[in-house]
Short mmCIF file of all heavy atoms in Angstrom, two decimals:
data_model
loop_
_atom_site.label_atom_id
_atom_site.label_comp_id
_atom_site.label_asym_id
_atom_site.label_seq_id
_atom_site.Cartn_x
_atom_site.Cartn_y
_atom_site.Cartn_z
N GLU L 14 -83.40 -0.27 -49.87
CA GLU L 14 -83.44 -0.94 -51.18
C GLU L 14 -82.03 -1.06 -51.76
O GLU L 14 -81.69 -2.09 -52.37
CB GLU L 14 -84.34 -0.15 -52.14
CG GLU L 14 -85.83 -0.30 -51.87
CD GLU L 14 -86.36 -1.63 -52.37
OE1 GLU L 14 -85.58 -2.44 -52.89
OE2 GLU L 14 -87.57 -1.86 -52.25
N LEU L 23 -80.77 -9.71 -47.08
CA LEU L 23 -81.93 -8.91 -46.66
C LEU L 23 -83.21 -9.33 -47.37
O LEU L 23 -84.30 -8.89 -46.98
CB LEU L 23 -81.66 -7.43 -46.93
CG LEU L 23 -80.65 -6.74 -46.01
CD1 LEU L 23 -80.32 -5.36 -46.54
CD2 LEU L 23 -81.18 -6.65 -44.59
N PRO L 25 -85.03 -12.13 -47.37
CA PRO L 25 -86.09 -12.72 -46.53
C PRO L 25 -86.80 -11.70 -45.65
O PRO L 25 -88.00 -11.83 -45.41
CB PRO L 25 -85.32 -13.75 -45.68
CG PRO L 25 -84.11 -14.08 -46.48
CD PRO L 25 -83.74 -12.82 -47.18
N SER L 34 -89.41 -8.77 -55.46
CA SER L 34 -89.55 -8.26 -56.82
C SER L 34 -89.39 -9.34 -57.88
O SER L 34 -89.82 -9.17 -59.02
CB SER L 34 -88.51 -7.16 -57.06
OG SER L 34 -87.19 -7.65 -56.83
N LEU L 89 -89.76 -22.25 -55.69
CA LEU L 89 -90.37 -20.93 -55.46
C LEU L 89 -91.06 -20.88 -54.11
O LEU L 89 -90.95 -19.88 -53.38
CB LEU L 89 -91.36 -20.63 -56.58
CG LEU L 89 -92.07 -19.27 -56.53
CD1 LEU L 89 -91.08 -18.14 -56.75
CD2 LEU L 89 -93.18 -19.20 -57.57
N ALA L 93 -88.48 -17.42 -48.75
CA ALA L 93 -89.17 -16.70 -47.67
C ALA L 93 -90.27 -15.83 -48.26
O ALA L 93 -90.09 -15.18 -49.29
CB ALA L 93 -88.17 -15.85 -46.89
N ARG L 117 -98.35 -39.39 -64.13
CA ARG L 117 -98.02 -40.80 -64.01
C ARG L 117 -99.12 -41.70 -64.57
O ARG L 117 -98.85 -42.69 -65.27
CB ARG L 117 -97.79 -41.15 -62.53
CG ARG L 117 -96.49 -40.63 -61.94
CD ARG L 117 -95.30 -41.29 -62.57
NE ARG L 117 -94.05 -40.94 -61.90
CZ ARG L 117 -92.86 -41.26 -62.35
NH1 ARG L 117 -92.74 -41.92 -63.50
NH2 ARG L 117 -91.77 -40.90 -61.70
N ASP L 125 -104.07 -30.05 -67.26
CA ASP L 125 -104.50 -28.66 -67.25
C ASP L 125 -103.75 -27.92 -66.14
O ASP L 125 -103.96 -28.19 -64.95
CB ASP L 125 -106.01 -28.59 -67.02
CG ASP L 125 -106.53 -27.16 -67.08
OD1 ASP L 125 -105.74 -26.26 -67.46
OD2 ASP L 125 -107.70 -26.92 -66.73
N GLU L 130 -101.33 -22.16 -62.28
CA GLU L 130 -100.91 -20.78 -62.57
C GLU L 130 -101.74 -19.78 -61.77
O GLU L 130 -101.21 -18.79 -61.24
CB GLU L 130 -101.05 -20.51 -64.06
CG GLU L 130 -100.07 -21.29 -64.93
CD GLU L 130 -100.19 -20.89 -66.39
OE1 GLU L 130 -100.59 -19.74 -66.66
OE2 GLU L 130 -99.89 -21.72 -67.26
N THR L 167 -80.77 5.53 -40.48
CA THR L 167 -81.22 6.89 -40.18
C THR L 167 -80.18 7.64 -39.37
O THR L 167 -79.86 8.81 -39.64
CB THR L 167 -82.55 6.84 -39.40
OG1 THR L 167 -83.52 6.10 -40.15
CG2 THR L 167 -83.08 8.23 -39.14
N VAL L 210 -78.59 -6.56 -40.50
CA VAL L 210 -79.21 -5.57 -39.61
C VAL L 210 -78.56 -5.62 -38.23
O VAL L 210 -78.32 -4.58 -37.60
CB VAL L 210 -80.73 -5.81 -39.52
CG1 VAL L 210 -81.38 -4.78 -38.60
CG2 VAL L 210 -81.37 -5.76 -40.90
N GLU L 233 -62.88 18.54 -19.65
CA GLU L 233 -62.00 18.62 -18.48
C GLU L 233 -62.73 18.25 -17.20
O GLU L 233 -62.19 17.55 -16.33
CB GLU L 233 -61.45 20.04 -18.37
CG GLU L 233 -60.32 20.21 -17.38
CD GLU L 233 -58.97 19.82 -17.97
OE1 GLU L 233 -58.88 19.65 -19.20
OE2 GLU L 233 -58.03 19.69 -17.19
N PRO L 241 -60.17 9.54 -8.31
CA PRO L 241 -60.51 9.18 -6.93
C PRO L 241 -59.79 10.10 -5.93
O PRO L 241 -58.71 10.63 -6.21
CB PRO L 241 -60.00 7.74 -6.81
CG PRO L 241 -58.83 7.69 -7.76
CD PRO L 241 -59.16 8.63 -8.89
N ILE L 264 -60.53 32.06 -0.93
CA ILE L 264 -59.68 31.69 0.21
C ILE L 264 -58.52 32.68 0.36
O ILE L 264 -58.15 33.09 1.48
CB ILE L 264 -59.15 30.25 0.04
CG1 ILE L 264 -60.31 29.25 0.10
CG2 ILE L 264 -58.12 29.92 1.11
CD1 ILE L 264 -59.90 27.82 -0.13
N TRP L 278 -55.40 33.00 13.74
CA TRP L 278 -56.10 31.72 13.77
C TRP L 278 -56.81 31.42 12.44
O TRP L 278 -57.10 30.26 12.12
CB TRP L 278 -57.12 31.70 14.91
CG TRP L 278 -58.16 32.81 14.79
CD1 TRP L 278 -58.07 34.06 15.29
CD2 TRP L 278 -59.42 32.73 14.12
NE1 TRP L 278 -59.18 34.81 14.99
CE2 TRP L 278 -60.04 33.99 14.26
CE3 TRP L 278 -60.10 31.73 13.41
CZ2 TRP L 278 -61.28 34.27 13.72
CZ3 TRP L 278 -61.34 32.02 12.89
CH2 TRP L 278 -61.92 33.28 13.04
N ALA L 280 -55.71 33.37 9.38
CA ALA L 280 -54.76 33.64 8.31
C ALA L 280 -53.83 32.46 8.07
O ALA L 280 -53.59 32.05 6.92
CB ALA L 280 -53.95 34.90 8.64
N LEU L 289 -51.22 23.82 0.28
CA LEU L 289 -51.56 22.42 0.03
C LEU L 289 -52.43 22.27 -1.23
O LEU L 289 -52.27 21.32 -1.99
CB LEU L 289 -52.30 21.85 1.24
CG LEU L 289 -51.49 21.73 2.54
CD1 LEU L 289 -52.37 21.24 3.68
CD2 LEU L 289 -50.31 20.78 2.33
N ARG L 321 -62.46 -3.08 -37.83
CA ARG L 321 -62.26 -4.48 -38.22
C ARG L 321 -63.60 -5.22 -38.30
O ARG L 321 -63.81 -6.05 -39.19
CB ARG L 321 -61.33 -5.18 -37.23
CG ARG L 321 -59.88 -4.75 -37.34
CD ARG L 321 -58.99 -5.58 -36.44
NE ARG L 321 -59.06 -7.00 -36.78
CZ ARG L 321 -58.36 -7.59 -37.75
NH1 ARG L 321 -57.55 -6.87 -38.49
NH2 ARG L 321 -58.48 -8.87 -37.98
N LEU L 339 -63.23 -4.49 -23.43
CA LEU L 339 -63.18 -3.04 -23.57
C LEU L 339 -64.08 -2.33 -22.57
O LEU L 339 -63.83 -1.17 -22.21
CB LEU L 339 -63.61 -2.64 -24.99
CG LEU L 339 -62.65 -3.00 -26.13
CD1 LEU L 339 -63.30 -2.72 -27.47
CD2 LEU L 339 -61.36 -2.20 -25.99
N ASP L 348 -76.78 -5.60 -21.85
CA ASP L 348 -77.09 -7.01 -22.14
C ASP L 348 -77.75 -7.18 -23.51
O ASP L 348 -77.59 -8.22 -24.15
CB ASP L 348 -78.02 -7.56 -21.05
CG ASP L 348 -77.32 -7.66 -19.70
OD1 ASP L 348 -76.07 -7.69 -19.69
OD2 ASP L 348 -78.02 -7.69 -18.67
N HIS L 357 -76.90 -14.79 -34.19
CA HIS L 357 -76.47 -15.47 -35.41
C HIS L 357 -75.23 -16.32 -35.19
O HIS L 357 -74.46 -16.55 -36.12
CB HIS L 357 -76.18 -14.43 -36.50
CG HIS L 357 -77.27 -13.42 -36.68
ND1 HIS L 357 -78.47 -13.72 -37.29
CD2 HIS L 357 -77.36 -12.12 -36.29
CE1 HIS L 357 -79.24 -12.64 -37.29
NE2 HIS L 357 -78.60 -11.67 -36.68
#
Side-chain angles (χ1 to χ4, degrees):
E14 286 283 2
L23 288 170
S34 58
L89 181 67
R117 286 294 188 188
D125 183 8
E130 292 184 27
T167 304
V210 181
E233 192 83 12
I264 294 177
W278 59 271
L289 294 176
R321 288 186 60 83
L339 291 172
D348 293 338
H357 311 286

